[in-house]
Amino acid sequence: MFFVGIDIGKNNHVASMMDDTGKVVFKAFSFPNTSDGGNALFLKLTSYSLNPSDFEIGMEATGHYWLSVYSFLFEKSFLLHVINPDRWMAQGDGNPQTQKRYH
């Protein structure tokens, strides 16, 4: 099992992946918010496993920028989790610099 986190940006996204032992497999894989970028991420992931059920992918719902990569991966049958940043911020003091985002 692999766990992938995607940091969503306007023009580029950045993905990191670890295995089920917590070992970092790759980090800071940057890809553009385009079809070619989605394909680059797909090729990167499938170089580790061709089975989409071997992956859990999480991303933040940043504006509307996450929708294209979400739709692309959803069509390829990956298990996806979308995290609403407003819900996380409501659990803390509201300061993103001191907010614990992962529990």
Side-chain angles (χ1 to χ4, degrees):
M1 177 65 79
F2 297 102
F3 302 96
V4 181
I6 302 175
D7 184 22
I8 300 295
K10 178 179 180 179
N11 298 313
N12 294 291
H13 308 309
V14 179
S16 298
M17 185 169 80
M18 66 181 177
D19 65 18
D20 51 6
T21 68
K23 178 183 173 197
V24 175
V25 177
F26 67 80
K27 60 181 178 178
F29 175 73
S30 182
F31 59 100
N33 188 10
T34 63
S35 295
D36 288 342
N39 284 320
L41 176 63
F42 180 72
L43 290 173
K44 180 81 166 172
L45 297 178
T46 56
S47 72
Y48 295 95
S49 174
L50 295 175
N51 186 350
S53 66
D54 287 340
F55 299 89
E56 275 196 58
I57 301 173
M59 66 188 73
E60 194 173 66
T62 304
H64 64 277
Y65 304 118
W66 62 278
L67 291 169
S68 59
V69 69
Y70 177 92
S71 298
F72 180 86
L73 294 170
F74 181 82
E75 289 177 6
K76 299 198 177 296
S77 301
F78 286 94
L79 175 60
L80 302 166
H81 303 278
V82 179
I83 300 156
N84 182 337
D86 293 334
R87 300 237 13 218
W88 284 105
M89 292 302 292
Q91 293 179 6
D93 62 7
N95 182 347
Q97 299 300 318
T98 60
Q99 181 68 33
K100 285 182 75 172
R101 296 183 72 119
Y102 304 100
H103 303 282

